Amino acid sequence: SSGINAEYGTRGTSHPWDPDSSDLIITTDSVAGSDEKVAVWFWYENNENAGGVRIWFKSTPQYTLGWCAPYLDLPADLPSAVNKVWRISYNQQTQNIKYYCNGVLLSTPHFLMKC
């Protein structure tokens, strides 16, 4: 077990996540231009920051990885469906994290880091 908790849903609600055995799945129904945001934060068992992802549904949807990375435009080929399934996978051996939307890889591997 990697000892990572994911905080999502109700603010302050933490859900254990074992990325060695499963990907983290999040669903959204936000649309571009709604200005809605979704965030998932990752914490090690000792409450040390392990990164996160935020998605901002601006007119051009954007995402950011970690705590201090700038927002980046989501790819132009982002699936157009309103209902989206976001999959987050983590490789403990390489300590990189990948983000998918409806099966489309959104980023090159991102390493968990502190700012």
Side-chain angles (χ1 to χ4, degrees), residues 32-47:
S34 68
D35 211 36
E36 294 176 318
K37 295 178 184 176
V38 64
V40 178
W41 305 113
F42 306 119
W43 304 92
Y44 292 110
E45 287 179 336
N46 65 0
N47 289 326

Side-chain angles (χ1 to χ4, degrees), residues 29-62:
D29 61 2
S30 300
V31 296
S34 68
D35 211 36
E36 294 176 318
K37 295 178 184 176
V38 64
V40 178
W41 305 113
F42 306 119
W43 304 92
Y44 292 110
E45 287 179 336
N46 65 0
N47 289 326
E48 184 179 347
N49 167 26
V53 61
R54 290 176 284 174
I55 303 165
W56 190 359
F57 291 92
K58 296 170 60 172
S59 57
T60 299
Q62 296 181 319

Side-chain angles (χ1 to χ4, degrees), residues 1 15-16 28 32-33 35 43-46 51 61 66 71 80 84 87-88 96-97 99 103 105 107 111-112 115:
S1 169
H15 306 274
T28 62
D35 211 36
W43 304 92
Y44 292 110
E45 287 179 336
N46 65 0
Y71 275 95
S80 61
K84 291 180 175 46
R87 181 170 58 96
I88 301 169
N96 71 42
I97 194 162
Y99 301 89
L105 179 64
S107 68
F111 296 91
L112 295 180
C115 298

Side-chain angles (χ1 to χ4, degrees), residues 1-46:
S1 169
S2 298
I4 292 179
N5 288 310
E7 182 179 318
Y8 58 94
T10 305
R11 182 180 291 250
T13 301
S14 187
H15 306 274
W17 173 42
D18 182 2
D20 294 330
S21 63
S22 66
D23 292 342
L24 183 63
I25 306 294
I26 300 161
T27 59
T28 62
D29 61 2
S30 300
V31 296
S34 68
D35 211 36
E36 294 176 318
K37 295 178 184 176
V38 64
V40 178
W41 305 113
F42 306 119
W43 304 92
Y44 292 110
E45 287 179 336
N46 65 0

Side-chain angles (χ1 to χ4, degrees), residues 28 74 77-79 81 83-87 99-106:
T28 62
L74 287 167
D77 60 350
L78 182 69
N83 294 315
K84 291 180 175 46
V85 177
W86 305 87
R87 181 170 58 96
Y99 301 89
Y100 299 83
C101 179
N102 291 4
V104 176
L105 179 64
L106 296 183

